[in-house]
C-alpha cells in the first residue's frame, strides 16, 4: 500500500519538476525569459551553465517536496517554501 502524498506537496512537486525540465530542455528560451544574452558564440561566457544549475535546483526542490509530502511533514514543506521565498527576495535586493 502506497503512502498518500499531501495534495499541496503533489502540486508543488509537479510544478517544480516541470520548471526544471523546461530549464534543462530549452536553455536558450529560458535565457531570453531571464533576460540573459545566451548565445552559442564561443567568445562570450557560457550563461547556459546558470540555466542548467537553476534547472537542477528546481528538480531537487521537486524531489524534496515529494519526499516531505510522502512523510506528511507539513512543517518541513512550510520551512522549505519560506526558504525559497527568503532566498529569492534576498537575491533581488542584492541584484537591484
Amino acid at each position: 500500500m502506497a503512502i498518500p502524498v499531501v495534495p499541496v506537496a503533489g502540486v508543488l512537486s509537479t510544478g517544480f519538476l516541470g520548471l526544471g525540465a523546461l530549464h534543462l530542455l530549452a536553455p536558450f528560451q529560458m535565457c531570453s525569459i531571464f533576460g540573459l544574452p545566451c548565445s552559442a558564440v564561443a567568445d562570450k561566457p557560457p550563461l547556459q551553465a546558470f540555466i542548467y544549475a537553476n534547472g537542477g535546483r528546481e528538480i531537487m526542490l521537486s524531489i524534496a517536496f515529494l519526499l516531505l509530502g510522502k512523510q506528511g511533514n507539513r512543517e518541513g514543506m512550510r520551512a522549505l517554501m519560506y526558504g525559497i521565498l527568503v532566498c529569492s527576495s534576498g537575491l533581488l535586493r542584492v541584484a537591484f
Side-chain angles (χ1 to χ4, degrees):
M1 179 178 207
I3 300 171
V5 178
V6 178
V8 173
V11 169
L12 288 172
S13 179
T14 305
F16 279 116
L17 182 63
L19 191 59
L22 183 62
H23 279 78
L24 296 177
L25 297 175
F28 291 109
Q29 288 79 6
M30 292 308 292
C31 279
S32 65
I33 288 173
F34 281 111
L36 299 173
C38 221
S39 66
V41 180
D43 61 346
K44 292 186 179 180
L47 290 174
Q48 283 181 327
F50 167 74
I51 298 298
Y52 287 137
N54 202 0
R57 173 184 159 258
E58 304 296 341
I59 290 174
M60 289 301 118
L61 287 172
S62 170
I63 293 169
F65 276 115
L66 180 67
L67 292 176
L68 289 171
K70 282 202 172 281
Q71 293 174 353
N73 190 348
R74 292 182 186 270
E75 292 81 17
M77 288 190 298
R78 189 177 303 126
L80 186 58
M81 190 51 114
Y82 284 149
I84 293 168
L85 294 174
V86 167
C87 180
S88 63
S89 67
L91 289 175
L92 287 175
R93 282 191 214 137
V94 171
F96 299 106

